[in-house]
Amino acid sequence: MAVFGQMVSGRFPWRFGRPAELLREEEPAAVPSGAVHSYRPDIDGLRALAVLSVVFYHAGFRGFSGGYVGVDIFFVISGYLITGIIVRDLEVSRHTIARFYRRRVLRIFPALFFVTLVTTALAAIFLLPSELERYARSLAAATLFGSNVLFYGESGYFDAASEVKPLLHTWSLAIEEQFYIIWPLALAWVGATRLRRLRLLVWTVTAASLVAAIVMVSRDREAAFYLLPSRAWELGIGGVIATLPRRPLPRWLDEVLAAAGGLAILLCVWKYNVLTTFPGLTAVPVCGGAALIILTGTHRATLVSRILSLRPAIFVGKISYSLYLWHWPVLVFAAVSLLPGSRMTINLAAVALSFVLAFLSWRFVETPFRVGGPRWSDRAVFGAALAAMAAALVTAGVLLAANGFANRYSPHERKIASYLYLDQEESYRSGSCFISDYSQTFAKDRCLQAGGGKPLVLLIGDSYSAHLWPGLSQADSPFTIAQASMVGCPPGIYPGVGGKTCERFFRSLLTQWVPEHKPAAVLLAGRWHVGDYDLVRATLADPRLADTKLILIGPPPQYESALPRLLVAAESRKDPHLPARFADPQAFPVDRKLREIAREAGVPYISLIDNLCRGKDCRVWAKDDIPLQFDNGHFSAVGSREVVDLIEKDLVGIINGDGRGTAP
């Protein structure tokens, strides 16, 4: 603690001030009108705000549900600094592409390839064969700065969880490097002497990209998130600031604008979440907030810039690049190594370790290359960069050729592992009856169609309703099953006026379609949480559903890691009770509370946990060594049929009203 106190106070021998050469190379107050270029400590503080938002979001800390916007802050900072550097060099006629990329190599490569070296070694130990093969592809993509394209291609609701993709966070580096292939060429083509044209170029690119983001996010949210056309405007807005003619504003106005910018960022970090449609217009407040903080701090220190210039903030800002690189692999391997203890305790330890590794990486990897780099020849710098890239690509090829070193596991373990993150898009009817992306269109005519002379039963809910579809829709089912599932949306009649996606979807079904078509029953199924209790109560008591037979289906047993991983670990460690120790404890009290709510409302309740568990020891196999669930909670198609076989008598009894089933 004493050492840490010295570090943040500035008394530690390795001070945070940078050599003058590094200040000139990296952080000018990039105003091409002749203003003095000087180091901006508040920008390091803004970096700290950005990286802490991302780290705490990934660690699951409360109050940081929108912390992913920290990446957008980084984009604005990068666009401001790099555009300023290019314009400044153009003004004095010393800009060359070789000089630009030399700086990028010295800034980006050392820490990146050191982290990937350590990450690759850990991946070979902890990842299952299919995960290691996927990792190899991401290693190659990250090396070529194309990981954003790879991860976009892999995206899908049932794609492997992010917690087993140690290089997932490199998508943002790929965005930057792709942008900086084009940006310096475009600026050099216009030239700094034609300032009006240069500003027009920067503004045009920024505006066009923002329009692309708005259009793309409504049509393909994953593309808008991962691909350059919808992200370039965030770097471009930094370029706008760097080329903006800047005249001092009244102090009070600078203070107001800076405070507004800081407040906008904090509100986005606090209020946004994974269901927020992002990026696009929702990214404007956070990017605009970062831009205002940078802009108002150009000529004077505002209250916000002084706060961001405090030594602890500067310290975190200095190590922010290394901290960003380290934190995600550390969190991933903390999760997949199945360490004992609560997830929050483990994540706290992982964050602390990330800070230690980030400081060591900044001090012993980043700094030596950035201080000593200017003395090295272009041949040495680019030769070393190409050698590092070649070594990484060869390593990726070896991992793929070796099939993820599958021989580390027994044949039985490999069979279990093959069910990990099984693609269930088709069996769940994703894209038609299960809306796994809000840009998809619900196929009402197909999904709500009656027929076959059997009683019609409507299954509605989130993905935890969709995973019952393979079992309920079997050919010998006594019912015709209609399905309406939407990701992330627990089913119910929401209390608002129906403006949001979930509200609109279920309000239309329950208050219009159900009264008109009068199904024999409506099955309400979801991955229920404590926060859903009021929604369930309101839905079960809604007078518009008084004549509808509602059946509430409880949550399934869930796990803190994917069930196939737990089963492989249980076998390799000869510990059959391991899955029970990693059962999500929240599902059990939620199940009990929902039963109580259903009883009070006079609505039948079916407990999946009662059917599958004895205490916390739950059924983990479907049959023939096929795991019941392929991820943390969703049933495999075979598992779904097994589960429905267990509850079918109860369902038939409740729907037919013959006294069988779990009645209230």
Side-chain angles (χ1 to χ4, degrees):
M1 290 300 294
V3 171
F4 181 79
Q6 290 178 339
M7 288 193 296
V8 297
S9 68
R11 296 192 300 272
F12 201 68
W14 301 318
R15 292 183 181 272
F16 303 126
R18 299 185 185 174
E21 183 174 12
L22 289 182
L23 296 183
R24 290 196 303 271
E25 288 290 321
E26 196 172 330
E27 295 182 357
V31 184
S33 58
V36 176
H37 302 312
S38 59
Y39 168 59
R40 293 275 302 272
D42 61 320
I43 290 183
D44 266 332
L46 191 58
R47 282 193 177 113
L49 177 59
V51 76
L52 291 179
S53 297
V54 173
V55 171
F56 293 165
Y57 163 70
H58 284 152
F61 293 174
R62 185 171 296 179
F64 291 87
S65 61
Y68 52 81
V69 302
V71 173
D72 306 80
I73 300 173
F74 276 127
F75 284 159
V76 175
I77 295 172
S78 178
Y80 168 72
L81 295 175
I82 300 302
T83 302
I85 290 170
I86 295 171
V87 172
R88 183 200 64 197
D89 285 353
L90 287 170
E91 285 181 327
V92 296
S93 301
R94 66 174 181 175
H95 173 72
T96 66
I97 295 300
R99 176 184 175 85
F100 176 81
Y101 285 115
R102 174 194 173 93
R103 282 195 298 246
R104 294 301 293 171
V105 166
L106 291 172
R107 175 74 176 101
I108 299 297
F109 276 44
L112 174 63
F113 283 101
F114 179 64
V115 171
T116 55
L117 174 65
V118 176
T119 301
T120 301
L122 293 173
I125 297 172
F126 290 109
L127 297 187
L128 295 173
S130 62
E131 295 170 338
L132 189 55
E133 290 183 78
R134 187 180 291 110
Y135 172 81
R137 288 190 285 271
S138 70
L139 175 61
T143 300
L144 299 173
F145 296 102
S147 56
N148 61 322
V149 178
L150 173 74
F151 292 130
Y152 166 63
E154 291 181 350
S155 62
Y157 187 71
F158 294 114
D159 178 37
S162 59
E163 71 175 23
V164 293
K165 293 182 176 181
L167 297 180
L168 179 62
H169 62 323
T170 62
W171 71 268
S172 62
L173 298 181
I175 289 281
E176 282 202 33
E177 297 317 305
Q178 291 162 16
F179 182 79
Y180 291 132
I181 290 174
I182 304 168
W183 199 237
L185 296 173
L187 295 181
W189 174 65
V190 174
T193 57
R194 292 177 286 184
L195 194 54
R196 285 188 178 180
R197 292 187 184 181
L198 188 142
R199 288 172 182 155
L200 178 61
L201 171 68
V202 173
W203 278 90
T204 301
V205 170
T206 302
S209 175
L210 177 57
V211 171
I214 295 169
V215 173
M216 288 173 65
V217 79
S218 64
R219 298 183 179 181
D220 189 339
R221 184 175 170 182
E222 298 296 334
F225 186 88
Y226 280 116
L227 300 184
L228 176 62
S230 51
R231 289 288 192 168
W233 72 272
E234 300 180 16
L235 293 120
I237 199 170
V240 168
I241 306 168
T243 58
L244 201 63
R246 179 71 171 118
R247 298 181 180 86
L249 298 173
R251 173 174 287 278
W252 70 268
L253 185 54
D254 272 341
E255 294 286 357
V256 169
L257 293 176
L263 183 61
I265 291 173
L266 294 177
L267 284 175
C268 291
V269 170
W270 180 36
K271 288 293 189 180
Y272 285 5
N273 56 50
V274 294
L275 298 180
T276 302
T277 302
F278 193 89
L281 286 176
T282 50
V284 171
V286 67
C287 292
L292 286 176
I293 290 173
I294 295 171
L295 187 64
T296 55
T298 300
H299 286 283
R300 62 167 60 96
T302 64
L303 175 61
V304 171
S305 67
R306 287 196 295 272
I307 293 172
L308 293 174
S309 298
L310 294 174
R311 285 193 178 275
I314 293 174
F315 165 65
V316 176
K318 299 290 187 184
I319 67 170
S320 60
Y321 176 54
S322 282
L323 181 57
Y324 181 78
L325 289 178
W326 277 113
H327 86 281
W328 183 244
V330 170
L331 286 168
V332 166
F333 291 116
V336 302
S337 59
L338 302 178
L339 297 171
S342 70
R343 174 60 66 90
M344 187 52 64
T345 300
I346 292 170
N347 283 354
L348 280 169
V351 169
L353 177 60
S354 299
F355 270 92
V356 174
L357 293 173
F359 172 72
L360 295 175
S361 180
W362 171 78
R363 174 64 184 91
F364 295 108
V365 179
E366 284 191 69
T367 302
F369 278 91
R370 291 161 68 184
V371 173
R375 297 192 297 268
W376 303 333
S377 67
D378 287 352
R379 173 176 289 187
V381 171
F382 291 122
L386 290 174
M389 294 176 72
L393 292 173
V394 169
T395 301
V398 170
L399 294 176
L400 288 171
N403 297 316
F405 295 145
N407 290 334
R408 292 175 293 154
Y409 299 93
S410 69
H412 185 230
E413 290 169 341
R414 292 199 295 270
K415 180 180 179 182
I416 298 171
S418 68
Y419 291 97
L420 189 68
Y421 301 112
L422 200 64
D423 184 1
Q424 298 284 215
E425 298 272 351
E426 183 175 352
S427 66
Y428 283 25
R429 302 205 289 181
S430 177
S432 56
C433 305
F434 167 42
I435 302 305
S436 57
D437 185 289
Y438 295 141
S439 63
Q440 296 171 346
T441 301
F442 180 63
K444 185 175 181 180
D445 292 342
R446 174 191 175 191
C447 304
L448 301 180
Q449 186 176 23
K454 300 177 182 179
L456 178 65
V457 173
L458 174 62
L459 170 68
I460 68 169
D462 56 20
S463 61
Y464 282 71
S465 70
H467 76 169
L468 295 173
W469 164 260
L472 290 170
S473 62
Q474 296 176 82
D476 59 350
S477 172
F479 308 108
T480 295
I481 305 296
Q483 179 195 3
S485 306
M486 179 170 284
V487 61
C489 297
I493 299 177
Y494 288 73
V497 295
K500 295 181 180 178
T501 304
C502 296
E503 296 175 9
R504 201 164 49 240
F505 185 71
F506 288 119
R507 183 177 295 275
S508 171
L509 284 166
L510 292 172
T511 65
Q512 297 177 31
W513 188 89
V514 168
E516 290 175 6
H517 293 81
K518 302 186 185 316
V522 175
L523 309 181
L524 305 171
R527 185 186 183 184
W528 304 105
H529 298 283
V530 173
D532 298 327
Y533 295 159
D534 289 341
L535 171 65
V536 174
R537 287 192 184 95
T539 302
L540 300 186
D542 194 287
R544 289 166 292 187
L545 296 174
D547 296 329
T548 302
K549 187 181 290 284
L550 300 175
I551 302 175
L552 186 61
I553 299 180
Q558 296 157 60
Y559 300 91
E560 294 179 356
S561 189
L563 181 59
R565 179 191 309 288
L566 298 175
L567 294 174
V568 170
E571 177 155 318
S572 64
R573 301 179 188 181
K574 303 187 184 309
D575 182 2
H577 297 291
L578 185 146
R581 291 202 299 277
F582 285 88
D584 183 352
Q586 297 182 15
F588 299 92
V590 168
D591 178 66
R592 292 192 295 270
K593 184 63 176 179
L594 288 175
R595 183 195 300 275
E596 177 186 324
I597 292 172
R599 184 184 299 115
E600 292 171 353
V603 170
Y605 182 74
I606 292 180
S607 171
L608 297 180
I609 285 178
D610 279 358
N611 280 278
L612 294 170
C613 304
R614 296 295 177 267
K616 287 191 176 182
D617 279 308
C618 299
R619 179 173 173 176
V620 293
W621 301 104
K623 59 181 179 180
D624 299 329
D625 293 335
I626 299 174
L628 188 73
Q629 292 148 295
F630 63 89
D631 61 5
N632 299 56
H634 294 98
F635 298 132
S636 61
V638 176
S640 177
R641 288 189 281 271
E642 291 293 309
V643 170
V644 170
D645 285 346
L646 291 175
I647 66 174
E648 189 172 59
K649 286 185 179 179
D650 286 346
L651 278 175
V652 171
I654 295 169
I655 294 172
N656 291 338
D658 59 7
R660 292 181 296 174
T662 310

